[in-house]
Amino acid sequence: MTALNRSTCRRLQQLQQISSVWEGDRRPLGTRQTGSDWLESGSGEPPEGDCILWVDGSQGMVRAMDVVTPETGHEAVVRTLIRAMEYPHNPGSPARPKKIVVSDRELQFFLRGVLQDLDITLDYVPELPLIDEIFRGLQDAIETRPPHLPPQYADELIGQALQLWDDAPWEVLADHQILEIQLNEWDIGSLYVSIMGMLGMEYGILLYRSLDSLKRFRQRALTHESIEEMQEAFLGQDCLYITFETESDEEDELAPLAPALLSPDVEPAFGNLHPLEGLRSFLYEEEAAPLLVALEALHRFFRQHRQKFQQDQFPAISSRYRIPHPDAPEESKGQIAVKVTALPELADELLGITEDEENAPPLHLPVVRDDLIPDNSFLSLGMVPWDLLEDLRAGTKYYQPQTIPKAGDGLPVVMIQTSQPKAKTLVQALQEAGGLQAICFNPGEDAIGGDRYDLGLLQAGNGNLYLFGEFGEDDPTHVSARKKWDQRCKKTKGYCGLIIAKGLTGASRGNPQFKDMIALFEAQALPAKDLGLGTLQLRLAVDWMG
């Protein structure tokens, strides 16, 4: 049985021991919702898993929660328990319980061996009333949440979306080349369609309910000075949207491919954006019905006119179609007259906005940006042995080399694990920024809360700095990892590496295998003094300023 190491035991023994009784359990989720998504109304559907809960039964609060794959062992329960002791959810304080109760005999025996040196009484009870109540509340919330698509429209919407995927409109239209779909139904006059995907970053379509919303977003997106302003501009849109996600292990090239060459395993995601609602990842009936008609009209339009948009052409084309009304009884054969029109004058206007902003004086941007690393990525500091590094250099789909002396036990690396589509986007963004020049750590502090951090930064070839991690100054795990990082970088004469891996939601989450590693950037390890930033102050929610 795996036991806690002595240093961890000593650290936990130093915590104040409180008289509370904690309940702990691990249960399969009743739906495809994970723990973090119960708290976020606009989140998508991540994979199924088991939920681990540690709660303080005396105070009636959750101290720690995590979601793991069903194959993960009992060690995950211990990891969550340690977090419940050292870094509990607010308003909890670090502490060690006097007693723990569980309702699983196997888990009880496992924990008994692990916790034997921590002076914690461990008992079995057949029922855990507080955890039962929490799970019932979560389940009720999940069951009352609307489905992502209204059942009567779901199959047709997905079919129409996949049909649009096959049409691949992003191969011939850029996002400023707008199509108008006149519906005059469901209180909608026209929808204005912007196609995403010509740059190969993300495929999808936005269907704006008004031209004003479309123009306002593009103007604000081009003139934002902070991440908050960009987020506000994004959430201020008034549109329906469809995005496509792919997960392919068969791609031979890291650069984005044309949709026709990608895996047939494509999953469309639908949602709504509105200034007063924000982002919502599901549709109501009154949204699904017009979207269904609009998608069919788009499909017919591209089938009829696609060749006219080749070679950057965007002529003023207009066609009318009669689309079956999704709410009409089948025997009535009701139809809707729909008109689809290309708007070249609007395209020129939108392109003019972009060119004006490109020629404008440079805006004051934050010293450090945090818009590079995907949310919820798994981050770690570690080392790759030299023999494995040679295999990695030859086997990754993208490799940025350096001449590095083989000294010490291996190359110090930062590992960033995310989903494959986001990993590809991250690699491309780094390439477009001139590659990776350096990895560095710089002190930071929250002037209001007084917390101090060790900030992990990536310096791109164009000079931009990107935040990849905020580590508590007193976090013992990071302190140990950072100490080894500095020692290894000294042996390699100041060289290090960045590995970007896929597989965040699979069995290799947190422990990517060789096949999951898609990019290796070798770079310099830059001391904080060479950056010359001093201690960065956290002034806004996400912008570290000098």
Side-chain angles (χ1 to χ4, degrees):
M1 176 180 294
T2 304
L4 295 174
N5 61 52
R6 298 305 306 165
S7 62
T8 301
C9 282
R10 286 193 295 271
R11 195 174 73 240
L12 296 176
Q13 287 168 347
Q14 292 173 1
L15 295 174
Q16 176 189 4
Q17 190 167 36
I18 55 178
S19 59
S20 297
V21 178
W22 291 6
E23 299 179 14
D25 204 4
R26 169 180 179 166
R27 300 185 185 183
L29 297 172
T31 77
R32 290 173 55 87
Q33 292 293 109
T34 66
S36 62
D37 288 335
W38 289 326
L39 307 177
E40 299 177 12
S41 61
S43 56
E45 278 190 325
E48 294 179 346
D50 290 351
C51 180
I52 299 171
L53 269 177
W54 283 101
V55 302
D56 186 329
S58 304
Q59 298 187 17
M61 70 176 188
V62 176
R63 290 189 66 93
M65 179 170 64
D66 203 359
V67 176
V68 298
T69 60
E71 299 78 19
T72 307
H74 290 316
E75 292 83 0
V77 181
V78 178
R79 290 194 292 268
T80 309
L81 173 59
I82 293 174
R83 198 166 72 246
M85 294 185 196
E86 295 188 300
Y87 307 104
H89 294 332
N90 286 331
S93 300
R96 180 164 46 103
K98 186 66 177 175
K99 182 177 181 179
I100 284 175
V101 294
V102 297
S103 62
D104 183 299
R105 288 287 189 188
E106 184 179 333
L107 179 60
Q108 178 195 13
F109 294 137
F110 183 86
L111 292 175
R112 181 171 292 167
V114 172
L115 304 178
Q116 56 185 340
D117 296 327
L118 296 180
D119 188 28
I120 298 175
T121 302
L122 183 63
D123 282 345
Y124 166 85
V125 295
E127 295 182 354
L128 300 170
L130 182 54
I131 286 184
D132 289 341
E133 181 181 349
I134 292 172
F135 267 98
R136 277 195 301 270
L138 293 173
Q139 195 64 41
D140 289 345
I142 292 170
E143 290 175 355
T144 56
R145 180 175 178 173
H148 282 263
L149 295 173
Q152 68 270 36
Y153 301 126
D155 290 343
E156 277 195 88
L157 270 174
I158 293 172
Q160 290 283 7
L162 294 178
Q163 191 170 248
L164 187 68
W165 172 264
D166 292 335
D167 294 332
W170 33 79
E171 291 182 352
V172 294
L173 293 184
D175 61 356
H176 68 283
Q177 294 171 314
I178 307 301
L179 302 176
E180 179 185 6
I181 303 177
Q182 293 182 14
L183 294 177
N184 297 317
E185 187 78 9
W186 298 286
D187 296 322
I188 297 175
S190 292
L191 293 172
Y192 298 89
V193 179
S194 175
I195 306 291
M196 300 185 298
M198 180 166 275
L199 298 180
M201 299 293 283
E202 183 177 13
Y203 299 105
I205 64 171
L206 301 173
L207 300 97
Y208 290 89
R209 296 183 180 91
S210 73
L211 273 180
D212 180 62
S213 175
L214 187 157
K215 293 179 180 179
R216 186 169 58 249
F217 169 69
R218 293 184 68 89
Q219 183 70 48
R220 295 176 68 186
L222 289 167
T223 58
H224 75 280
E225 296 190 36
S226 68
I227 301 302
E228 285 94 347
E229 290 181 4
M230 185 62 208
Q231 290 175 337
E232 184 179 351
F234 175 79
L235 295 175
Q237 298 176 93
D238 183 8
C239 65
L240 301 168
Y241 69 82
I242 304 173
T243 58
F244 298 93
E245 292 189 2
T246 64
E247 190 69 36
S248 171
D249 291 325
E250 305 300 325
E251 297 177 38
D252 295 325
E253 301 293 337
L254 190 60
L257 302 174
L261 301 179
L262 290 171
S263 163
D265 186 15
V266 178
E267 184 176 348
F270 303 83
N272 176 80
L273 275 164
H274 189 272
L276 300 181
E277 285 191 75
L279 175 66
R280 169 163 44 83
S281 60
F282 58 90
L283 299 179
Y284 292 109
E285 293 182 13
E286 56 269 28
E287 298 162 341
L291 182 57
L292 187 60
V293 172
L295 291 180
E296 175 61 22
L298 277 178
H299 169 64
R300 296 188 188 185
F301 185 78
F302 283 111
R303 185 176 59 187
Q304 181 180 358
H305 299 297
R306 179 188 173 90
Q307 70 279 4
K308 299 174 184 175
F309 298 120
Q310 301 289 348
Q311 300 179 342
D312 296 328
Q313 298 300 307
F314 192 57
I317 298 172
S318 181
S319 291
R320 298 179 182 272
Y321 308 100
R322 299 196 68 83
I323 309 294
H325 197 302
D327 297 330
E330 188 173 344
E331 61 275 10
S332 71
K333 298 183 180 180
Q335 294 183 321
I336 300 176
V338 180
K339 182 181 179 182
V340 183
T341 305
L343 304 175
E345 292 184 2
L346 176 61
D348 291 341
E349 179 184 346
L350 297 178
L351 190 60
I353 294 174
T354 303
E355 292 173 346
D356 289 343
E357 293 304 325
E358 288 177 350
N359 296 326
L363 297 169
H364 174 68
L365 295 176
V367 173
V368 178
R369 300 171 56 178
D370 77 337
D371 56 351
L372 180 68
I373 308 303
D375 292 340
N376 302 318
S377 298
F378 180 87
L379 306 174
S380 64
L381 296 182
M383 176 272 296
V384 176
W386 296 114
D387 54 349
L388 178 58
L389 184 66
E390 291 302 324
D391 295 336
L392 196 57
R393 285 167 168 168
T396 53
K397 296 177 180 179
Y398 180 80
Y399 170 48
Q400 175 187 291
Q402 292 278 2
T403 303
I404 302 176
K406 288 186 178 180
D409 47 5
L411 180 70
V413 297
V414 171
M415 176 84 73
I416 298 176
Q417 186 183 26
T418 183
S419 67
Q420 177 162 297
K422 292 180 180 179
K424 289 172 53 182
T425 300
L426 171 56
V427 172
Q428 181 168 348
L430 274 176
Q431 289 178 281
E432 293 175 350
L436 179 65
Q437 181 170 312
I439 298 175
C440 31
F441 290 89
N442 198 85
E445 68 177 0
D446 180 352
I448 298 177
D451 296 328
R452 297 184 62 84
Y453 299 92
D454 194 22
L455 304 179
L457 304 176
L458 303 178
Q459 186 180 51
N462 61 9
N464 285 350
L465 288 171
Y466 298 94
L467 181 72
F468 72 82
E470 302 171 23
F471 308 96
E473 189 181 60
D474 300 324
D475 181 350
T477 302
H478 175 68
V479 170
S480 175
R482 176 67 197 282
K483 183 178 180 180
K484 293 178 181 178
W485 170 271
D486 291 340
Q487 292 170 345
R488 289 165 176 157
C489 288
K490 186 175 181 180
K491 292 180 180 178
T492 60
K493 307 300 182 184
Y495 285 100
C496 59
L498 169 68
I499 294 175
I500 298 174
K502 64 179 181 178
L504 181 66
T505 59
S508 60
R509 172 182 170 84
N511 185 29
Q513 304 302 301
F514 182 84
K515 64 180 179 62
D516 300 315
M517 300 177 187
I518 65 174
L520 169 63
F521 291 83
E522 293 176 353
Q524 291 183 313
L526 194 65
K529 61 182 178 61
D530 290 353
L531 282 178
L533 298 177
T535 299
L536 295 174
Q537 300 288 328
L538 181 59
R539 296 180 184 172
L540 299 175
V542 292
D543 289 338
W544 289 94
M545 310 288 286

